[in-house]
Amino acid sequence: MKLKLLYIVLDGAADSLKDDVTSYEAARKPNMDLIAKMGICGLMYPIAPGVAPESDSAVLSILGYDPYVYYPGRGPIEALGVGMRVKRGKEIALRGNFATLDSETLEILDRRAGRNLSKKEAEALARSLDGVQLDEGRGYARVKATVGHRCVVILGHKLSDLSGMISNTDPFYVRKGLVSEAVSNPERKLLKAEPLEDTEEAKLAADLVNEFTLKAIEVLSEHEVNRRRKRRGALPANGILLRDAGGKPPELPPIKELTGLSFASIAEMPVEKGIALAAGMTPIHVEVEGRNKAEVYREEAKLALDALEEVDAVYVHLKGPDEPGHDGRFEEKVKAIEQIDSSFFPDIMNLLDEIAVIITSDHA
């Protein structure tokens, strides 16, 4: 009998083997423990030893796509995930973080503006930058808020092509070819974008990024949203950190051709949504904003099992452990894993004789 497959990715839940106690070890997770005892366990590098990947390149890899071949930059993937398309060669798309900066020194005070930017606030800030003119009106910016402090920025020029081969302004990630890697001890200062190839298209793209970055600080510093945030003691979101530029839409061989399986996807964030769409998966929408996480997990489990009536496999990407992991909040990361175990997995446990289950993470 051919089993249906649930492919479950717990974002950022992994840790180092050098840790005295990992988050998985500390978490009380009877359901996942039982699955582990019934199955086969192993260790893997999402990309390669010594590479600390972002979610995008890691997810491509664990779904079977070589990121060094298929990765177009995070910007175009996130753009696709929120319904934006980058014009091949004519525009570049970048992932952005609304951040708190010292507008004089460009020191990064908080690269996520306190992680408490509301959807309404982020959308208002993005609207104030959408359509900004660059290079004396020859260039332009398209800006869209996505989730929390995140946004997508697309830059174009009316008279010239652009190249995505430029460095990041976000010092926490460094470009190595098309793939970015996390920096272990980054300088906490906004960087200037630099061309990574000796072409006019890359030089112009870097110039547009730097001009947009300074204009964004000017506009956002005076924005009423930030004035209100400062009055109530919240950090202003007065700048944007940009990374992972790309100049073409993601193009992947259909995952059914790779695996022989038809896939649906349940993903909470734009980058995983974009990858799933590019791979030809059927998207299943779950509203996450402003909802109780346990309730969301229960709904995601139900929808995943329902989808297995129609497709061979469902890729489920659960964001929970990622944010406390990035912030170094060990206990919160443990709680996030426990919440997934207690809310997402109970309905799955009744069907372990009928479906195959893979549980993994994209990065540590």
Side-chain angles (χ1 to χ4, degrees), residues 134-135 139 155-157 162 204-213:
L134 305 169
D135 191 24
L155 303 179
H157 199 276
L162 299 175
L204 179 57
D207 288 343
L208 291 178
V209 166
N210 293 328
E211 183 182 353
F212 171 80
T213 296

Side-chain angles (χ1 to χ4, degrees), residues 28 94 155 162 169 212 224 236 241 273 303 322 340:
R28 185 182 181 279
L94 305 101
L155 303 179
L162 299 175
T169 68
F212 171 80
E224 181 58 30
L241 308 180
K273 289 180 179 180
L303 289 172
D322 185 59
I340 290 172

